[in-house]
Amino acid sequence: VKIRGLGNAPVMSTLSNTDLLAYKFSFLGAYKADLGRRILKIKMQPRSLSSAVFGGEIHLVDSLYCIYRAEYEYPKPLLNEYNQFRIAQEFQLNADSQLLPSKLRFDYFAKAGKGKFNGYTLVSFKEIKVQSGFPKGHFGLEVSRVADSAYDKDSSFWAGNRATPLNSTEIRFISRNDSVNRV
């Protein structure tokens, strides 16, 4: 797995053909999900601390062997900018039995000089349309896109379109930044 924005070295996937060489797996138990199916909770740990592998948990749908939820801790020695970076993903099956992402969360922490910085990014997916048959090179180097008009939207627009409401700390931060910008 290569995530160029986080580090230069690739990290071994937890679901590769050779994962047993790099990971220790532990069964943590099972639970019933909203699917009405049994979910298996598995912990993954690096066999060696010097390896380029994730730590975390993976939740698999029993008998389907598809990922229901995954939580990864990016290897600290490989991080360029952050001191800690966590990735949490949730998936769901659609009507055509395709496994699609439903939520993605990035938690990050960094120390710079005397300051400490932390934050998170939450992505909610809805109305995903699966389309195949893109010609080679269709997407180029683009990873994501944000329209410039998104920065000009007022709070009433975001109140109606935000998937997760802001907490009090985030509201204070936005209010303070808006005040500073007006001055």
Side-chain angles (χ1 to χ4, degrees), residues 14-115:
T14 56
L15 300 174
S16 68
N17 291 335
T18 57
D19 58 3
L20 290 175
L21 299 173
Y23 290 98
K24 289 187 275 184
F25 295 97
S26 306
F27 180 68
L28 297 177
Y31 61 94
K32 287 271 188 188
D34 54 350
L35 304 168
R37 295 185 180 265
R38 190 175 123 169
I39 307 296
L40 307 174
K41 193 173 173 182
I42 299 166
K43 182 177 182 177
M44 55 206 173
Q45 293 176 279
R47 286 197 180 274
S48 167
L49 293 176
S50 62
S51 299
V53 294
F54 295 106
E57 290 181 6
I58 191 164
H59 301 208
L60 301 172
V61 179
D62 191 14
S63 74
L64 293 179
Y65 303 107
C66 60
I67 300 171
Y68 180 71
R69 179 176 173 77
E71 297 176 12
Y72 301 106
E73 179 84 32
Y74 201 86
K76 290 178 185 178
L78 301 182
L79 289 168
N80 288 341
E81 188 175 332
Y82 301 102
N83 295 89
Q84 187 176 13
F85 197 93
R86 292 187 58 82
I87 303 165
Q89 301 172 294
E90 290 183 23
F91 299 88
Q92 64 184 22
L93 289 168
N94 69 5
D96 297 328
S97 295
Q98 296 169 318
L99 191 65
L100 301 174
S102 61
K103 288 184 184 173
L104 180 58
R105 181 178 168 125
F106 302 104
D107 290 283
Y108 32 88
F109 172 77
K111 291 180 185 175
K114 294 181 180 179

Side-chain angles (χ1 to χ4, degrees), residues 2-5 106 125 139-146:
K2 285 187 180 181
I3 307 175
R4 288 184 218 150
F106 302 104
F125 299 92
F139 293 103
L141 297 175
E142 183 175 76
V143 176
S144 68
R145 180 187 306 183
V146 176

